[in-house]
Amino acid sequence: MGNAFLALLAFIGIIIFWNVLLKRNIGEAMFFGLIGTALFGGTQAPQLIWDGLVYAATYEVMYAALAFVFMSYLIDRTEVLSGMLLILNSIFGRLPGGAAYIDTIASAAMGTLAGSGSANTAATGAFTAPWMVKTNWSRELAATVVAGNGGLGTALPPSSSMFIMLGFAPVAALVSEVNIYIALFVAGAYQVLYRIILIMYLVRKHKIKAVSPEFVQPLSQSLRAGWKSLFIFLGALIPMIITIGPVSEMLAANPNIGEEAMGSISLITWIPILIIFIGLIVGWTKLPKSSTDWSKFLNNAIPRFAYIGAILLFAFAAGEVLSNLGLAEDLTSLMETLSISKWLMIAIIGVLVVLVAGPLSSTATLTAVGMISFSALISVGVHPVAAVICILVFASTEGSSPPASGSIFISAGLAGADPKKMFVPLITYYVVPIFIIGWLIGMGVLPLPIH
């Protein structure tokens, strides 16, 4: 068993021990997890920690998550969403758990466009998370559903994870892009169906009720009261229109702009920035009017940044340390020693991918273990298309895998939830069931359009 793989186990073990058993702050657990992981590098530990912190400090998702924390704080304090919630309530308020269903469907639609779990969570959760909280979902449960649905950004085509798998020469020799696209769409549909069933269960379990009819205004009345709040949608629509579809292609073809410039535009960065800007305009009457009030306003936001910022910094830094220790090579060596039955091999690959997707992104996970996982599945008789798809399904747990998923902290910021209280529900409601879906696909129980 390699040094990097032991470091991965140590990282997870330290977090569980410090946070679950000792019941200490999750930020402390992440810090000691980082230190414990780097110690496996011996004399290189200080350099590994430094490189990890530099990586985390420049990692886009970290800043996007913090931007969403402030965005959520701003729109909450300025009551910008109150008018929008009135309108949405007029349309869907009579359906128990309506906001969660809308988040699921919207996340699926967004997943087929952006192909990013974090961007998915950002674009849909910005509106549905506060709406769920307003309709009697607990903050943690609302954030759990939003983060869990964010995984549909990886689960549906096209996604960067899909192209990483197709980029491996042995994979490209056995499957076609069109076949993978169609098969992944079907696998994504299985996940969407599961999520809808899950919401039906959660609505019944937690006795989520539809809003009382007397609180559901006629649509014409709510539009008159809250039409200004609809401008908030532009904060998500403008970046999507610019970066996805014909407008993006037109701008990329413009010699004065080009593909490189278009490729540098980040959805998860610009969505919160634009929503903050629009929120300041729409909700200006609720903003502080003096320097003293502004000081209080900003100071009240600081604790949210300190808590989530520490967690993200140390979690992402630890992920980089694991990569630098040679996690990919260790996992490759481990897989080459295994010679077992089909059902068990699929399960081991699933556990491996899900485990690695905890501290790493889905793209980093597949870069590290995608090729060896594909080879292992093919060696026990899994069809090449099914092998690619079940690996992608396993990797799609990245959005809901504690402790380092950007989607978790983005959704927590949107719903005002405590991230650590989401960990067990995310594993129970999303990680384990999605793992089972991937296993059933690998075994051929859930059929795919394979040619």
Side-chain angles (χ1 to χ4, degrees):
M1 189 174 291
N3 201 40
F5 187 72
L6 291 175
L8 174 63
L9 296 179
F11 175 69
I12 296 170
I14 289 170
I15 291 172
I16 293 173
F17 173 76
W18 199 262
N19 183 240
V20 178
L21 298 181
L22 296 185
K23 300 187 183 301
R24 298 288 296 176
N25 185 284
I26 187 67
E28 293 178 10
M30 292 294 184
F31 171 74
F32 287 111
L34 168 63
I35 300 300
T37 301
L39 289 176
F40 281 82
T43 58
Q44 296 297 312
Q47 186 63 45
L48 286 169
I49 293 173
W50 174 253
D51 291 343
L53 290 173
V54 169
Y55 168 81
T58 57
Y59 189 26
E60 175 192 26
V61 172
M62 179 172 179
Y63 292 96
L66 294 177
F68 276 104
V69 171
F70 183 73
M71 183 201 80
S72 176
Y73 175 73
L74 175 70
I75 62 178
D76 178 55
R77 291 293 298 268
T78 57
E79 301 178 7
V80 168
L81 286 183
S82 59
M84 185 188 305
L85 292 172
L86 281 175
I87 296 170
L88 293 173
N89 211 34
S90 296
I91 301 172
F92 302 106
R94 292 179 176 84
L95 176 66
Y101 289 108
I102 297 304
D103 186 84
T104 302
I105 296 169
S107 293
M110 181 70 179
T112 62
L113 296 174
S116 166
S118 297
N120 202 350
T121 302
T124 60
F127 312 110
T128 57
W131 182 19
M132 290 172 70
V133 172
K134 292 284 187 180
T135 51
N136 302 321
W137 292 77
S138 71
R139 292 185 180 275
E140 280 69 35
L141 190 58
T144 295
V145 171
V146 171
N149 284 339
L152 290 171
T154 305
L156 287 157
S159 69
S160 56
S161 300
M162 181 187 82
F163 290 113
I164 286 174
M165 290 301 297
L166 286 170
F168 294 122
V171 176
L174 296 174
V175 301
S176 70
E177 182 177 324
V178 173
N179 203 176
I180 292 297
Y181 190 102
I182 296 173
L184 185 58
F185 189 87
V186 172
Y190 291 141
Q191 289 207 42
V192 173
L193 178 60
Y194 163 71
R195 283 168 165 83
I196 291 175
I197 295 172
L198 171 64
I199 292 169
M200 294 171 64
Y201 165 75
L202 292 175
V203 167
R204 291 177 63 88
K205 177 182 178 181
H206 296 279
K207 297 179 172 59
I208 305 295
K209 303 294 184 182
V211 179
S212 288
E214 61 266 26
F215 294 110
V216 180
Q217 298 180 359
L219 181 58
S220 58
Q221 182 178 341
S222 60
L223 280 171
R224 284 195 298 271
W227 65 271
K228 291 181 181 179
S229 65
L230 295 177
F231 286 110
I232 290 292
F233 282 107
L234 295 176
L237 289 175
I238 291 173
M240 290 173 60
I241 291 171
I242 291 176
T243 57
I244 301 169
V247 174
S248 176
E249 294 173 2
M250 179 187 68
L251 294 173
N254 187 323
N256 295 320
I257 300 175
E259 292 185 5
E260 184 176 353
M262 292 304 300
S264 67
I265 299 175
S266 168
L267 276 178
I268 62 172
T269 298
W270 280 104
I271 285 174
I273 289 174
L274 287 180
I275 290 179
I276 289 171
F277 179 73
I278 295 171
L280 289 171
I281 296 174
V282 175
W284 71 273
T285 57
K286 300 289 184 179
L287 292 173
K289 298 299 185 293
S290 68
S291 59
T292 301
D293 290 339
W294 269 109
S295 178
K296 291 179 181 179
F297 181 84
L298 295 176
N299 284 336
N300 288 335
I302 290 176
R304 304 190 186 196
F305 289 107
Y307 179 69
I308 292 181
I311 295 173
L312 288 175
L313 179 69
F314 299 134
F316 292 151
E320 179 68 4
V321 169
L322 288 169
S323 295
N324 291 337
L325 284 172
L327 183 59
E329 292 79 5
D330 280 6
L331 292 172
T332 299
S333 299
L334 176 64
M335 294 307 304
E336 288 174 347
T337 65
L338 298 176
S339 179
I340 49 182
S341 61
K342 178 179 178 179
W343 71 268
L344 185 56
M345 177 63 83
I346 297 172
I348 290 174
I349 292 296
V351 170
L352 176 65
V353 173
V354 169
L355 188 65
V356 176
L360 302 180
S361 66
S362 60
T363 52
T365 297
L366 294 178
T367 300
V369 301
M371 187 62 257
I372 188 60
S373 298
F374 178 78
S375 300
L377 293 178
I378 292 299
S379 70
V380 294
V382 179
H383 190 282
V385 171
V388 172
I389 297 305
C390 73
I391 292 170
L392 290 171
V393 171
F394 293 144
S396 73
T397 60
E398 174 260 340
S400 51
S401 291
S405 166
S407 291
I408 294 176
F409 298 99
I410 289 172
S411 66
L414 292 170
D418 184 347
K420 69 180 181 181
K421 292 182 180 179
M422 298 162 55
F423 288 179
V424 172
L426 280 167
I427 293 171
T428 303
Y429 295 140
Y430 291 96
V431 176
V432 173
I434 292 170
F435 166 83
I436 294 172
I437 290 173
W439 185 86
L440 291 173
I441 287 173
M443 290 296 295
V445 177
L446 290 177
L448 296 174
I450 293 174
H451 303 289

